[in-house]
Structure formats: C-alpha cells, structure tokens
Amino acid sequence: MRFVDLHLHSHFSDGTYRPEELAAQAQRLELAAISLTDHDSVEGCAATGRACEAAGVEFIPGTELTAEQDGDELHLLGYFVDTENPTLLTQIAKFQAVRQNRIREMVARLNGLRVPLSADAVFALANCRAPGRPHVARALVAAGLCGTQDEAFERFLKKNRPAWVPKFKMGGPEAIALIHQAGGVAVLAHPGLNRTDALIPGLVGAGLDGIECYHTKHTPGTVTHYLELAERFHLLATGGSDCHGLNRGKPLMGTVKVPYEHVERLRARAAEIRSAALPHAAA
Ligand SMILES: [Zn+2]
Ligand SMILES: [Zn+2]
C-alpha cells in the first residue's frame, strides 16, 4: 500500500524545513506523494516540486488559507492550485500584508506591557512573507522573555490575552471561490480542531470539494466521523500530518497514514474544476 502526506508546512510559513529537506524526508519515509500547504503562501511550491521530482516523489502544489465564518476560524486547503494564478497571488500578497501589520501591532502591545521585543526581531526570525503568532512566540523565547512557546501563548498571544490582535479574514465561500478560480480543489482542513461541523452544509453549498478526515490531532473516532460526513455530503476525503518540521518536538511527517487513492480522486476533481472553467467551444 502506498501512502501520502497532503498537509505540510515549510519555512515559507511557520514550518522549519526547506524544500529539499521536505523532499528528502518524503523519500526516506517512502511516501508516494506530498503536498506543501503553507499558510497564505504558495512561495515554496516551485522549489519543493523540483526537489520532489529529483527525489522521485510526486508533488501536489497546495496552500492553506485562513478564513472565518460566523466568528469561527477555518482553514481551507487548496490542492492543485495554479501557483502562478494572478488573482491568487494578489490576494495572498494582501493576506501577507495583513499578517505583517498584525505582527507590528502585537509587538506594540507587548511593548506596552513592558516586554522589550522588536518587530524586526520577529521578522528576522520568521524570515518569510507570511509571519504569524508562532514566530512571535519563538522570538519571545529566543530573546529570553518567555521560557517556552506555550508560555508565550498563555501569557500574551492566545485569543483575548493582552497581546492578541484580531486578524481580518475572508469568509469561507470567498476562500473556496479563490481556490477554484486558481484551478484548485477546496478542502476544509482539520475540522476536528475547529469544531466547524455546523458550517459544513453551508460550505458545501459554496462548492467545498472535500474534508481533511485524517489529521494528527484527529482521534480514530474523529476520523470515522469525518469519513461519514464526507460520504453523506459527497465530498472527497484527504489527510496529512500538518508537520511543521522541527519546531515543536518530533517532526510529524508521515505519521498520518493516508492511502494514495485519495490523490487520484483529488486529481480527477481538479480536472473537473479546470474543464468547467474553460469556455465551451461553439457547436
Ligand atoms: Zn490549519
Ligand atoms: Zn497546517
């Protein structure tokens, strides 16, 4: 049986691996295919695709967009997106600017709490266009201002803690449309983490293609629950480890066993989305 890992982060968002390391790990773990799904970024896809080709591992370009619905945060994975799609790139650039401004605002709040962190220290550590709270947490630890990243989140960065700053997010249907217009397949990420079940019918109405049923933080019961939901709503099932590299403890890559057949279904769906977008030839 061949397995795949369709949810991975690199240093182009909040992971630690470089594209070459992702490909080498995939080869070592004998994965048949991987996808790179950085937060609000497709920047690492080209290099990871090349590295995977050299390593004999199939590569699926991807991204993980942050959206919001009725006050709940949701993550939407886009598979087989065209990473050169102008609309996708324009929107991603906007989300990245929002992220960078949010870092500046969180640092200003920390400074107001007499925590002497600089935004430049966070940006230098993040070294990517899509910085986020994990980078602020790491910078706080690196500067000796917090003992651990968990402490940084508990004291300052978690929702409603003193340095937390709300983030503008697009709606779920908007994210699905953005992925579709870039030729991609839209999949709701780790629904078991976000408790977004009530939103699923609405997202299906907006064109959602799949649910991430297999995930590191889904128990076997959760996996079964989402496989059943996927069947009920005629959605694809996907899965991955959500590995962030060596960031916090052991790398998770390859620990979630997702059969290769799910890639074939994703590919077929991507082909349908692309052919539906093409203007029909005159009879
Ligand atoms: Zn996520
Ligand atoms: Zn993720």
Side-chain angles (χ1 to χ4, degrees):
M1 189 128 177
R2 300 198 302 154
F3 294 102
V4 302
D5 192 333
L6 303 179
H7 194 150
L8 299 167
H9 294 274
S10 75
H11 73 84
F12 287 100
S13 67
D14 55 350
T16 62
Y17 285 141
R18 289 178 294 111
E20 298 73 25
E21 290 173 306
L22 281 172
Q25 288 285 65
Q27 189 183 40
R28 192 181 63 77
L29 295 163
E30 296 179 12
L31 292 171
I34 63 166
S35 180
L36 180 63
T37 54
D38 275 318
H39 298 287
D40 295 340
S41 175
V42 289
E43 212 183 338
C45 286
T48 308
R50 285 193 297 273
C52 280
E53 198 180 341
V57 176
E58 187 178 336
F59 178 71
I60 296 151
T63 187
E64 181 172 22
L65 302 178
T66 307
E68 188 178 55
Q69 195 75 19
D70 305 334
D72 290 309
E73 180 163 314
L74 28 119
H75 291 180
L76 284 150
L77 298 158
Y79 291 114
F80 289 106
V81 284
D82 171 8
T83 57
E84 313 260 301
N85 178 266
T87 307
L88 179 66
L89 292 179
T90 304
Q91 290 304 115
I92 279 178
K94 282 187 201 163
F95 303 144
Q96 292 175 347
V98 167
R99 283 175 170 273
Q100 290 161 20
N101 288 333
R102 185 180 186 223
I103 299 286
R104 290 190 192 93
E105 208 174 317
M106 285 192 280
V107 167
R109 291 194 188 194
L110 285 167
N111 295 161
L113 298 161
R114 297 177 187 278
V115 178
L117 188 73
S118 77
D120 284 345
V122 180
F123 291 134
L125 181 143
N127 192 27
C128 74
R129 293 196 181 120
R133 282 183 298 169
H135 295 119
V136 180
R138 282 187 225 166
L140 283 167
V141 174
L145 297 164
C146 284
T148 63
Q149 291 180 47
D150 286 336
E151 182 197 326
F153 270 91
E154 276 304 322
R155 279 175 64 193
F156 302 119
L157 303 173
K158 259 171 74 168
K159 189 170 181 178
N160 300 325
R161 291 290 193 271
W164 177 74
V165 174
K167 181 168 72 171
F168 161 80
K169 303 176 196 93
M170 69 188 142
E174 224 179 321
I176 292 168
L178 183 58
I179 290 166
H180 281 169
Q181 69 78 41
V185 181
V187 173
L188 180 63
H190 45 65
L193 259 75
N194 301 66
R195 298 186 189 87
T196 43
D197 282 19
L199 304 176
I200 290 175
L203 294 171
V204 171
L208 184 72
D209 302 293
I211 318 182
E212 187 176 51
C213 297
Y214 308 93
H215 185 273
T216 305
K217 293 192 174 159
H218 283 179
T219 63
T222 312
V223 172
T224 307
H225 170 68
Y226 286 110
L227 286 172
E228 282 168 8
L229 268 189
E231 202 172 310
R232 189 187 318 158
F233 289 104
H234 307 290
L235 295 169
L236 300 170
T238 71
S241 63
D242 212 350
C243 177
H244 285 71
L246 304 165
N247 178 18
R248 293 167 104 174
K250 239 179 79 174
L252 297 167
M253 192 167 173
T255 54
V256 176
K257 296 286 177 212
V258 182
Y260 182 79
E261 62 185 54
H262 294 293
V263 169
E264 284 161 349
R265 291 186 197 142
L266 270 179
R267 193 198 323 280
R269 182 76 193 114
E272 280 171 23
I273 289 165
R274 279 168 200 227
S275 69
L278 288 175
H280 292 287

PDB file of all heavy atoms in Angstrom, residues 7 39 64 75 189-190 242, ligand 1:
ATOM      1  N   HIS A   7      -0.457  17.447   3.966  1.00  0.00           N
ATOM      2  CA  HIS A   7      -0.542  18.665   4.786  1.00  0.00           C
ATOM      3  C   HIS A   7       0.807  18.902   5.454  1.00  0.00           C
ATOM      4  O   HIS A   7       1.112  18.347   6.503  1.00  0.00           O
ATOM      5  CB  HIS A   7      -1.655  18.511   5.831  1.00  0.00           C
ATOM      6  CG  HIS A   7      -2.037  19.804   6.480  1.00  0.00           C
ATOM      7  ND1 HIS A   7      -3.308  20.064   6.947  1.00  0.00           N
ATOM      8  CD2 HIS A   7      -1.319  20.929   6.753  1.00  0.00           C
ATOM      9  CE1 HIS A   7      -3.350  21.281   7.467  1.00  0.00           C
ATOM     10  NE2 HIS A   7      -2.151  21.818   7.369  1.00  0.00           N
ATOM     11  N   HIS A  39       0.733  28.370   5.119  1.00  0.00           N
ATOM     12  CA  HIS A  39      -0.317  29.339   5.430  1.00  0.00           C
ATOM     13  C   HIS A  39      -0.210  30.553   4.502  1.00  0.00           C
ATOM     14  O   HIS A  39       0.841  31.205   4.443  1.00  0.00           O
ATOM     15  CB  HIS A  39      -0.179  29.847   6.870  1.00  0.00           C
ATOM     16  CG  HIS A  39      -0.336  28.769   7.897  1.00  0.00           C
ATOM     17  ND1 HIS A  39      -1.554  28.209   8.192  1.00  0.00           N
ATOM     18  CD2 HIS A  39       0.560  28.140   8.684  1.00  0.00           C
ATOM     19  CE1 HIS A  39      -1.394  27.291   9.143  1.00  0.00           C
ATOM     20  NE2 HIS A  39      -0.120  27.224   9.456  1.00  0.00           N
ATOM     21  N   GLU A  64      -2.703  26.702   2.371  1.00  0.00           N
ATOM     22  CA  GLU A  64      -3.701  26.640   3.451  1.00  0.00           C
ATOM     23  C   GLU A  64      -4.127  28.070   3.760  1.00  0.00           C
ATOM     24  O   GLU A  64      -3.366  28.851   4.325  1.00  0.00           O
ATOM     25  CB  GLU A  64      -3.116  25.966   4.699  1.00  0.00           C
ATOM     26  CG  GLU A  64      -4.141  25.865   5.837  1.00  0.00           C
ATOM     27  CD  GLU A  64      -3.656  25.035   7.038  1.00  0.00           C
ATOM     28  OE1 GLU A  64      -2.426  24.876   7.203  1.00  0.00           O
ATOM     29  OE2 GLU A  64      -4.514  24.573   7.805  1.00  0.00           O
ATOM     30  N   HIS A  75      -9.696  26.835   8.266  1.00  0.00           N
ATOM     31  CA  HIS A  75      -8.565  26.751   7.345  1.00  0.00           C
ATOM     32  C   HIS A  75      -9.010  25.973   6.120  1.00  0.00           C
ATOM     33  O   HIS A  75      -9.595  24.897   6.246  1.00  0.00           O
ATOM     34  CB  HIS A  75      -7.381  26.055   8.018  1.00  0.00           C
ATOM     35  CG  HIS A  75      -6.763  26.881   9.111  1.00  0.00           C
ATOM     36  ND1 HIS A  75      -5.690  26.460   9.863  1.00  0.00           N
ATOM     37  CD2 HIS A  75      -7.075  28.122   9.557  1.00  0.00           C
ATOM     38  CE1 HIS A  75      -5.378  27.402  10.739  1.00  0.00           C
ATOM     39  NE2 HIS A  75      -6.199  28.414  10.580  1.00  0.00           N
ATOM     40  N   ALA A 189      -9.765  22.076   6.217  1.00  0.00           N
ATOM     41  CA  ALA A 189      -8.687  21.471   7.000  1.00  0.00           C
ATOM     42  C   ALA A 189      -9.153  21.124   8.410  1.00  0.00           C
ATOM     43  O   ALA A 189     -10.004  21.808   8.984  1.00  0.00           O
ATOM     44  CB  ALA A 189      -7.501  22.434   7.084  1.00  0.00           C
ATOM     45  N   HIS A 190      -8.568  20.052   8.943  1.00  0.00           N
ATOM     46  CA  HIS A 190      -8.756  19.622  10.350  1.00  0.00           C
ATOM     47  C   HIS A 190     -10.039  20.121  11.018  1.00  0.00           C
ATOM     48  O   HIS A 190      -9.980  20.858  12.014  1.00  0.00           O
ATOM     49  CB  HIS A 190      -7.541  20.023  11.189  1.00  0.00           C
ATOM     50  CG  HIS A 190      -7.034  21.434  10.971  1.00  0.00           C
ATOM     51  ND1 HIS A 190      -7.771  22.539  11.295  1.00  0.00           N
ATOM     52  CD2 HIS A 190      -5.878  21.896  10.453  1.00  0.00           C
ATOM     53  CE1 HIS A 190      -7.087  23.617  10.997  1.00  0.00           C
ATOM     54  NE2 HIS A 190      -5.936  23.256  10.477  1.00  0.00           N
ATOM     55  N   ASP A 242       0.157  17.704   8.997  1.00  0.00           N
ATOM     56  CA  ASP A 242       0.269  19.109   9.439  1.00  0.00           C
ATOM     57  C   ASP A 242       1.638  19.320  10.091  1.00  0.00           C
ATOM     58  O   ASP A 242       1.763  20.068  11.066  1.00  0.00           O
ATOM     59  CB  ASP A 242      -0.859  19.464  10.420  1.00  0.00           C
ATOM     60  CG  ASP A 242      -1.286  20.922  10.329  1.00  0.00           C
ATOM     61  OD1 ASP A 242      -0.591  21.713   9.654  1.00  0.00           O
ATOM     62  OD2 ASP A 242      -2.309  21.267  10.936  1.00  0.00           O
TER      63      ASP A 242
HETATM   64 ZN    ZN B   1      -4.519  24.692   9.857  1.00  0.00          ZN
END
